[in-house]
Short mmCIF file of all heavy atoms in Angstrom, two decimals:
data_model
loop_
_atom_site.label_atom_id
_atom_site.label_comp_id
_atom_site.label_asym_id
_atom_site.label_seq_id
_atom_site.Cartn_x
_atom_site.Cartn_y
_atom_site.Cartn_z
N TYR A 83 12.04 3.56 6.08
CA TYR A 83 10.93 4.18 6.81
C TYR A 83 9.64 3.87 6.08
O TYR A 83 9.52 4.16 4.88
CB TYR A 83 11.18 5.69 6.88
CG TYR A 83 10.08 6.51 7.52
CD1 TYR A 83 9.48 6.13 8.71
CD2 TYR A 83 9.66 7.70 6.93
CE1 TYR A 83 8.49 6.88 9.29
CE2 TYR A 83 8.68 8.49 7.52
CZ TYR A 83 8.10 8.07 8.69
OH TYR A 83 7.12 8.84 9.27
N LEU A 84 8.69 3.23 6.76
CA LEU A 84 7.40 2.89 6.15
C LEU A 84 6.47 4.08 6.32
O LEU A 84 6.14 4.47 7.45
CB LEU A 84 6.79 1.67 6.85
CG LEU A 84 7.42 0.30 6.63
CD1 LEU A 84 7.74 0.05 5.16
CD2 LEU A 84 8.65 0.10 7.50
N SER A 85 6.08 4.69 5.19
CA SER A 85 5.23 5.88 5.29
C SER A 85 4.38 6.03 4.04
O SER A 85 4.73 5.53 2.98
CB SER A 85 6.12 7.12 5.50
OG SER A 85 6.04 8.00 4.40
N PRO A 86 3.23 6.72 4.17
CA PRO A 86 2.37 6.94 2.99
C PRO A 86 3.04 7.81 1.93
O PRO A 86 2.56 7.89 0.81
CB PRO A 86 1.13 7.66 3.57
CG PRO A 86 1.23 7.54 5.05
CD PRO A 86 2.66 7.31 5.39
N GLN A 87 4.15 8.47 2.28
CA GLN A 87 4.86 9.32 1.31
C GLN A 87 5.98 8.58 0.58
O GLN A 87 6.67 9.16 -0.25
CB GLN A 87 5.47 10.53 2.03
CG GLN A 87 4.41 11.40 2.69
CD GLN A 87 4.99 12.71 3.20
OE1 GLN A 87 6.17 13.01 3.02
NE2 GLN A 87 4.15 13.50 3.85
N GLY A 88 6.17 7.29 0.90
CA GLY A 88 7.28 6.55 0.32
C GLY A 88 7.05 6.12 -1.11
O GLY A 88 5.96 6.29 -1.67
N LYS A 89 8.10 5.55 -1.71
CA LYS A 89 7.98 4.95 -3.04
C LYS A 89 7.09 3.72 -2.92
O LYS A 89 7.23 2.93 -1.98
CB LYS A 89 9.39 4.56 -3.52
CG LYS A 89 9.37 3.88 -4.86
CD LYS A 89 10.68 4.02 -5.61
CE LYS A 89 10.44 3.69 -7.05
NZ LYS A 89 11.19 2.60 -7.57
N LYS A 90 6.16 3.56 -3.87
CA LYS A 90 5.20 2.47 -3.73
C LYS A 90 5.87 1.12 -3.95
O LYS A 90 6.52 0.90 -4.98
CB LYS A 90 4.02 2.67 -4.69
CG LYS A 90 2.74 2.06 -4.12
CD LYS A 90 1.61 2.03 -5.13
CE LYS A 90 1.11 3.40 -5.50
NZ LYS A 90 0.08 3.32 -6.57
N LEU A 91 5.70 0.22 -2.99
CA LEU A 91 6.33 -1.10 -3.04
C LEU A 91 5.82 -1.91 -4.23
O LEU A 91 4.62 -1.91 -4.51
CB LEU A 91 6.01 -1.85 -1.73
CG LEU A 91 6.74 -3.18 -1.50
CD1 LEU A 91 8.24 -2.97 -1.38
CD2 LEU A 91 6.22 -3.85 -0.24
N GLU A 113 1.35 11.70 13.69
CA GLU A 113 1.29 12.39 12.39
C GLU A 113 2.61 12.24 11.63
O GLU A 113 2.86 12.95 10.67
CB GLU A 113 0.96 13.87 12.58
CG GLU A 113 -0.18 14.15 13.51
CD GLU A 113 -1.51 13.60 13.02
OE1 GLU A 113 -1.73 13.61 11.81
OE2 GLU A 113 -2.32 13.16 13.87
N GLY A 114 3.47 11.34 12.07
CA GLY A 114 4.74 11.16 11.38
C GLY A 114 5.91 11.47 12.30
O GLY A 114 5.72 11.63 13.51
N ILE A 115 7.09 11.56 11.72
CA ILE A 115 8.28 11.76 12.53
C ILE A 115 8.98 13.06 12.13
O ILE A 115 8.74 13.59 11.05
CB ILE A 115 9.26 10.57 12.41
CG1 ILE A 115 9.89 10.48 11.02
CG2 ILE A 115 8.54 9.25 12.73
CD1 ILE A 115 10.87 9.34 10.89
N ASN A 117 11.18 15.62 10.53
CA ASN A 117 11.71 15.49 9.17
C ASN A 117 13.23 15.38 9.11
O ASN A 117 13.78 14.88 8.13
CB ASN A 117 11.25 16.69 8.33
CG ASN A 117 11.26 16.37 6.85
OD1 ASN A 117 10.61 15.42 6.42
ND2 ASN A 117 12.04 17.12 6.07
N ILE A 120 14.08 11.80 8.58
CA ILE A 120 13.83 11.32 7.21
C ILE A 120 14.94 11.78 6.27
O ILE A 120 15.46 11.03 5.45
CB ILE A 120 12.46 11.82 6.72
CG1 ILE A 120 11.34 11.29 7.64
CG2 ILE A 120 12.20 11.37 5.27
CD1 ILE A 120 9.97 11.89 7.39
N GLU A 126 15.73 4.59 2.57
CA GLU A 126 14.60 4.48 1.65
C GLU A 126 13.30 4.68 2.40
O GLU A 126 13.10 4.13 3.48
CB GLU A 126 14.55 3.09 1.00
CG GLU A 126 15.54 2.92 -0.13
CD GLU A 126 15.25 1.64 -0.92
OE1 GLU A 126 14.10 1.49 -1.39
OE2 GLU A 126 16.15 0.82 -1.03
N GLU A 127 12.40 5.46 1.78
CA GLU A 127 11.06 5.64 2.34
C GLU A 127 10.12 4.84 1.44
O GLU A 127 10.07 5.06 0.22
CB GLU A 127 10.71 7.13 2.35
CG GLU A 127 9.48 7.47 3.14
CD GLU A 127 9.27 9.00 3.30
OE1 GLU A 127 10.07 9.79 2.75
OE2 GLU A 127 8.29 9.37 3.96
N ILE A 128 9.40 3.87 2.02
CA ILE A 128 8.57 2.96 1.24
C ILE A 128 7.13 3.00 1.73
O ILE A 128 6.87 3.05 2.94
CB ILE A 128 9.14 1.51 1.31
CG1 ILE A 128 10.47 1.46 0.57
CG2 ILE A 128 8.16 0.49 0.76
CD1 ILE A 128 11.14 0.10 0.56
N SER A 129 6.19 2.96 0.76
CA SER A 129 4.75 2.88 1.05
C SER A 129 4.22 1.57 0.50
O SER A 129 4.67 1.11 -0.55
CB SER A 129 4.04 4.05 0.35
OG SER A 129 2.64 3.80 0.29
N ILE A 130 3.27 0.95 1.19
CA ILE A 130 2.67 -0.28 0.64
C ILE A 130 1.45 0.02 -0.22
O ILE A 130 0.82 -0.90 -0.74
CB ILE A 130 2.33 -1.33 1.72
CG1 ILE A 130 1.30 -0.82 2.71
CG2 ILE A 130 3.60 -1.78 2.45
CD1 ILE A 130 0.63 -1.93 3.52
N GLY A 131 1.09 1.28 -0.40
CA GLY A 131 -0.05 1.62 -1.26
C GLY A 131 -0.63 2.95 -0.85
O GLY A 131 -0.32 3.47 0.22
N ASP A 132 -1.48 3.49 -1.69
CA ASP A 132 -1.99 4.85 -1.47
C ASP A 132 -3.19 4.88 -0.55
O ASP A 132 -4.32 5.12 -0.98
CB ASP A 132 -2.31 5.50 -2.82
CG ASP A 132 -1.05 5.76 -3.62
OD1 ASP A 132 0.04 5.83 -3.01
OD2 ASP A 132 -1.14 5.87 -4.86
N TYR A 133 -2.93 4.61 0.71
CA TYR A 133 -3.95 4.71 1.76
C TYR A 133 -3.21 4.90 3.08
O TYR A 133 -2.01 4.62 3.16
CB TYR A 133 -4.83 3.46 1.81
CG TYR A 133 -4.05 2.18 1.61
CD1 TYR A 133 -3.38 1.59 2.69
CD2 TYR A 133 -3.94 1.59 0.36
CE1 TYR A 133 -2.63 0.44 2.51
CE2 TYR A 133 -3.19 0.44 0.18
CZ TYR A 133 -2.54 -0.12 1.25
OH TYR A 133 -1.79 -1.25 1.08
N VAL A 134 -3.95 5.37 4.10
CA VAL A 134 -3.30 5.69 5.37
C VAL A 134 -3.71 4.68 6.44
O VAL A 134 -4.89 4.33 6.56
CB VAL A 134 -3.66 7.12 5.82
CG1 VAL A 134 -3.05 7.44 7.18
CG2 VAL A 134 -3.17 8.14 4.79
#
Side-chain angles (χ1 to χ4, degrees):
Y83 176 45
L84 289 315
S85 115
Q87 299 189 3
K89 178 155 197 240
K90 210 189 293 175
L91 188 63
E113 313 296 325
I115 68 179
N117 203 57
I120 300 171
E126 281 192 55
E127 191 172 2
I128 292 180
S129 163
I130 62 163
D132 292 337
Y133 41 82
V134 177

